[in-house]
Amino acid sequence: MRQGSYLTLTLLLLIFGSAAVEAGPDYQLEIRDASNQLITHFPLQHGHWCLHWRHSVTGIAVEDCYRTEAGQMQLSHSWQPDFAAGLGHFEGRGTLVSHPQGGYLIESINEPVPGNGLWIRVGSESVAHTLISADTHLNLSQLAAGQRLRLQLISTKH
């Protein structure tokens, strides 16, 4: 094979090899019910995702965001327009700053989630528990209102 052909082959491998690697996310959330039945998978773009919901008493919008670092799910930050019942900042757990859209941002929480998963009690459709990662949304309240679900981080790398 001539040198030009090797160069072409190398470039094609680099281009298509990179595309194949970028084609899918490295992580996803496996969503299971209380009896451990798989409900669905939720792809995570760049290992980041947020859980948006409305407080069941006050109706304020809350956003808890997570990231994956070295295979570990971590609570990254939380945005809360008000410190309603059960919400707020605890000394030594992140940094409290004002959010440009109002309310409070607790940033740099960086708290590992034990076992790479968490349980949530999915609220009604008015609570609208919704997973968001990049442009992908999954409204858990429409899927399983009133149910207890486990959100488990899973690596898609084999």
Side-chain angles (χ1 to χ4, degrees), residues 35-57:
S35 63
N36 204 32
Q37 293 296 310
L38 180 65
I39 303 293
T40 192
H41 289 98
F42 183 73
L44 303 181
Q45 298 302 315
H46 309 292
H48 297 270
W49 60 282
C50 294
L51 179 62
H52 291 229
W53 48 282
R54 296 200 167 279
H55 193 279
S56 61
V57 175

Side-chain angles (χ1 to χ4, degrees), residues 111-131:
E111 182 177 276
V113 176
N116 276 342
L118 56 103
W119 286 99
I120 66 166
R121 169 74 62 190
V122 179
S124 67
E125 288 196 38
S126 64
V127 172
H129 275 110
T130 303
L131 296 173

Side-chain angles (χ1 to χ4, degrees), residues 26-119:
D26 289 343
Y27 295 96
Q28 62 185 351
L29 291 178
E30 189 175 79
I31 303 167
R32 294 184 174 270
D33 66 15
S35 63
N36 204 32
Q37 293 296 310
L38 180 65
I39 303 293
T40 192
H41 289 98
F42 183 73
L44 303 181
Q45 298 302 315
H46 309 292
H48 297 270
W49 60 282
C50 294
L51 179 62
H52 291 229
W53 48 282
R54 296 200 167 279
H55 193 279
S56 61
V57 175
T58 65
I60 62 170
V62 178
E63 177 181 294
D64 292 321
C65 294
Y66 298 81
R67 72 170 190 271
T68 305
E69 189 165 313
Q72 174 66 54
M73 180 193 303
Q74 293 186 2
L75 176 59
S76 172
H77 62 277
S78 182
W79 175 59
Q80 306 166 4
D82 188 1
F83 287 158
L87 300 177
H89 176 250
F90 301 97
E91 191 65 35
R93 185 175 186 251
T95 305
L96 182 66
V97 297
S98 293
H99 192 279
Q101 295 177 13
Y104 308 95
L105 177 64
I106 305 170
E107 58 185 11
S108 302
I109 298 173
N110 305 329
E111 182 177 276
V113 176
N116 276 342
L118 56 103
W119 286 99

